[in-house]
Amino acid sequence: MALRVLEKRSASLARRCEELRAARVVVGAAIVRDGRLLAQQRSYPESHAGQWELPGGRVEPGEKPADALVRECVEELGVSVVVGEQVGPDVPLKKDMVLRIFSAELADGEPEALEHNAVRWLTAGELPGLDWLPADRVLVPALQVLLN
Ligand code: 9L3
Ligand code: MG
């Protein structure tokens, strides 16, 4: 009996692992300058409006994550960035998506909120108090390490 329960549980875990393995990736940029991290405030959809996130978006089919991040930073901020290492773990989003953050360095341009309400440069101490999207909040400790 207990064995049957364990078998079922392990089958369901295996399915979840496979879902996450095949997950679509949403990339985000941890852009740091002078000891501050760049965040942007969402204007859409209504359920996320007013909350803060790291800049980024979905990786398109056939696109490399780093290329997607460069594209998103042009679209959302009007800047060019050089993409570095992953910061923190992949964080599950709704459905079959995961959020993957990379450190990024500003190469050209001054960030502007082209599709968002606002952008802000945050100190390590300001990170915990911000109204982050839930997935981005998970990464706050890893982002503080980056700033310290
Ligand atoms: N998302 C969460 N945190 C982030 C980013 C860039 C995105 N730092 C979530 C919000 C959306 C989904 O990922 O549900 C796709 O992002 P976008 O294409 O709307 O930016
Ligand atoms: Mg986006």
Side-chain angles (χ1 to χ4, degrees):
M1 185 59 186
L3 191 60
R4 184 84 196 101
V5 170
L6 276 178
E7 272 171 9
K8 270 199 176 153
R9 207 166 280 172
S10 114
S12 117
L13 267 178
R15 262 198 310 278
R16 182 69 185 131
C17 284
E18 179 53 28
E19 274 168 24
L20 284 177
R21 199 192 58 74
R24 287 199 60 189
V25 177
V26 174
V27 286
I31 303 173
V32 176
R33 186 173 69 188
D34 301 332
R36 289 170 185 258
L37 174 74
L38 187 75
Q40 60 182 13
Q41 188 181 39
R42 287 197 72 111
S43 56
Y44 64 93
E46 210 164 315
S47 56
H48 289 158
Q51 292 191 297
W52 293 80
E53 66 171 12
L54 298 177
R58 292 161 204 252
V59 178
E60 298 299 335
E63 194 177 34
K64 291 194 180 111
D67 294 339
L69 196 51
V70 169
R71 174 181 55 71
E72 290 286 346
C73 287
V74 171
E75 291 172 5
E76 297 188 339
L77 302 167
V79 298
S80 79
V81 298
V82 176
V83 178
E85 299 287 303
Q86 183 170 357
V87 178
D90 282 2
V91 180
L93 292 164
K94 61 176 186 204
K95 295 187 206 144
D96 62 344
M97 298 192 298
V98 293
L99 178 64
R100 185 173 300 163
I101 300 301
F102 293 90
S103 70
E105 221 175 289
L106 272 183
D108 195 33
E110 188 58 29
E112 272 184 90
L114 301 177
E115 298 179 350
H116 287 64
N117 282 341
V119 294
R120 225 177 117 176
W121 291 99
L122 302 156
T123 62
E126 288 172 323
L127 296 187
L130 207 68
D131 185 14
W132 292 102
L133 291 182
D136 294 64
R137 166 158 303 281
V138 171
L139 292 158
V140 162
L143 295 167
Q144 284 180 304
V145 170
L146 210 61
L147 292 181
N148 288 326

